[in-house]
Amino acid sequence: FVGVALAHSQPLVAQQRQAVFENHGSSKAQGLSAEMANPLYTFDSNAQGSAPQLSDMIGQEGSATIALDALVRSEQLMRALSGDSADFPHGLTLLLPTNDAFQKLDSLPEDLELVLKRHFIPRAVTAQEMEKGITLRSYERLATLRFTSSQGRVFVQADRRAPTEVRGAGVHAGSGTYYL
């Protein structure tokens, strides 16, 4: 990865994949090594003294370790998060899925990179725009994202899926913003 150093690169073998999905971030992570049960990601795209990038910031997000594990395996998405992608000339907004979101699924999707691309928006989107209501296309036009608000809460609906709450005001970095 250009400009990104990663301090957790243990690949998940197929047999461990479901165990990680079922136990990620929980105290029930029996049978997994301490590293697998509680992975630590350290990004260093700030090595030259520049402003922190999304890759720096999301590495500290403990509630999204399943998504982080998939992100670090995608050179294309890591380039975007570190501000080194021509695919995002107008900024980047990431709707970072939490471990709770993945655990609501029956099983972990086979192609997590494709799933995560649906969470990347190729422009800067503010919390105020989301609150007012806006419709956007995700990265590579994989999904139509409709933002709405109700009673002070913001929701996003991808295509015909059920709306999901967008939490927080966003975490800002040099390469974009992420929301949980």
Side-chain angles (χ1 to χ4, degrees):
F1 304 120
V2 174
V4 178
L6 173 63
H8 172 52
S9 58
Q10 177 181 357
L12 294 176
V13 295
Q15 295 84 355
Q16 293 174 318
R17 186 174 185 192
Q18 188 64 30
V20 169
F21 170 64
E22 291 170 351
N23 299 309
H24 232 279
S26 75
S27 60
K28 298 183 284 182
Q30 300 168 356
L32 296 176
S33 69
E35 183 178 290
M36 291 290 297
N38 297 302
L40 171 65
Y41 298 94
T42 304
F43 300 93
D44 186 18
S45 63
N46 194 21
Q48 304 301 321
S50 61
Q53 301 297 318
L54 280 177
S55 57
D56 299 308
M57 306 302 287
I58 66 169
Q60 305 306 314
E61 187 58 62
S63 66
T65 56
I66 294 172
L68 291 173
D69 191 66
L71 285 169
V72 298
R73 296 175 198 305
S74 169
E75 182 177 355
Q76 182 182 25
L77 297 180
M78 286 304 297
R79 284 182 181 274
L81 293 173
S82 61
D84 186 31
S85 174
D87 292 346
F88 299 90
H90 305 290
L92 165 64
T93 302
L94 171 59
L95 304 173
L96 186 62
T98 63
N99 294 346
D100 288 342
F102 281 113
Q103 292 186 0
K104 289 178 183 175
L105 303 173
D106 292 333
S107 64
L108 193 60
E110 286 296 317
D111 191 347
L112 280 176
E113 180 177 11
L114 181 64
V115 169
L116 290 171
K117 284 181 179 180
R118 291 183 176 121
H119 291 79
F120 278 67
I121 302 170
R123 70 171 277 244
V125 182
T126 66
Q128 293 80 13
E129 287 178 297
M130 291 180 193
E131 202 172 297
K132 288 181 183 176
I134 189 170
T135 299
L136 302 164
R137 297 299 304 252
S138 69
Y139 182 47
E140 295 183 349
R141 304 179 66 79
L142 293 171
T144 299
L145 305 171
R146 291 174 188 82
F147 292 90
T148 58
S149 65
S150 175
Q151 300 175 346
R153 296 168 52 196
V154 174
F155 298 88
V156 62
Q157 182 176 12
D159 298 320
R160 298 178 192 264
R161 292 181 176 85
T164 302
E165 186 174 1
V166 178
R167 295 182 287 145
V171 176
H172 307 285
S175 55
T177 303
Y178 78 87
Y179 299 85
L180 295 174

